[in-house]
Amino acid sequence: MSDSDIRSFFLPGEKLLWSGRPAQGFLLISRDFLLVPFSLLWGGFAIFWEITAISTEAPVFTKLWGIPFVLMGLYITAGRFFVDAAVRARTEYVLTDRRVIIRRSGLFRHLSTNQLELLPSISLEEGSRGRGTIKFGVPSNRRMSGWTPGLANEPQLLGIDNARQVYSLLEKARSECRSL
């Protein structure tokens, strides 16, 4: 997003404090330690079912029954990582002195603006080499957010570099907004 694109979302007098993008490419998060084994079991069983149904004299309905489960298994095993990487490639974050702006373009287009003084809570999950995620508020588990972190419904700055510095900047701006 160019500087003029960023400023088109600003309120009068609003100042840019930080802008960034989520981590790009393949990204594992903490919940993947449970999701990966589950997806392998699901996908493995679905493929086993479908191969067994096709190789026997099973009715056509039984042969077709497994196809959606195989497709879901393929998505949760591998496809979700490609969708997540594509979504994060089209996501931009902006922190101003008043708001957090999260903009996603492409197929899953979305714009989220969150006033700093109205954010109920802020948490930092810091990983290696200063990369981390800043989450705002209480997480919700609607849509595909459990499988695809880039599509999470709760506002978050996912996989950003220098996460602790951005978190400090955010907390400082938030306390200044509340004191006004």
Side-chain angles (χ1 to χ4, degrees):
M1 176 160 43
S2 71
D3 193 47
S4 61
D5 285 344
I6 292 171
R7 298 202 185 280
S8 70
F9 294 105
F10 284 15
L11 299 172
E14 198 168 18
K15 296 180 185 107
L16 175 68
L17 301 178
W18 173 85
S19 68
R21 301 181 71 88
Q24 300 298 298
F26 181 76
L27 178 68
L28 285 174
I29 60 173
S30 60
R31 74 177 108 177
D32 284 323
F33 292 107
L34 293 174
L35 293 178
V36 168
F38 172 78
S39 68
L40 291 172
L41 286 170
W42 177 287
F45 180 76
I47 290 169
F48 170 76
W49 169 282
E50 194 59 24
I51 289 172
T52 303
I54 289 171
S55 64
T56 63
E57 295 289 328
V60 173
F61 176 77
T62 304
K63 293 178 182 182
L64 296 175
W65 178 259
I67 293 173
F69 295 98
V70 169
L71 294 174
M72 179 58 92
L74 291 172
Y75 175 76
I76 64 176
T77 302
R80 67 189 176 100
F81 293 109
F82 292 103
V83 171
D84 183 52
V87 167
R88 285 183 287 106
R90 291 169 179 80
T91 301
E92 299 150 323
Y93 304 134
V94 175
L95 172 63
T96 72
D97 58 342
R98 296 187 211 166
R99 299 180 299 158
V100 175
I101 302 170
I102 302 171
R103 179 180 162 192
R104 217 173 37 223
S105 60
L107 182 61
F108 299 102
R109 177 176 287 159
H110 182 73
L111 176 67
S112 168
T113 61
N114 302 278
Q115 294 181 354
L116 296 179
E117 69 271 9
L118 299 179
L119 292 173
S121 66
I122 300 173
S123 64
L124 170 65
E125 296 174 5
E126 192 172 21
S128 62
R129 294 172 277 146
R131 180 174 283 168
T133 297
I134 300 171
K135 294 185 177 184
F136 311 105
V138 180
S140 63
N141 289 324
R142 296 184 309 229
R143 283 198 341 198
M144 299 186 320
S145 63
W147 296 106
T148 311
L151 292 176
N153 285 324
E154 71 272 7
Q156 62 180 345
L157 305 179
L158 178 67
I160 58 172
D161 291 327
N162 303 315
R164 186 178 299 220
Q165 292 172 343
V166 176
Y167 179 81
S168 297
L169 190 60
L170 180 59
E171 282 289 9
K172 181 180 177 191
R174 188 173 177 215
S175 66
E176 288 173 4
C177 279
R178 288 186 171 171
S179 66
L180 292 177

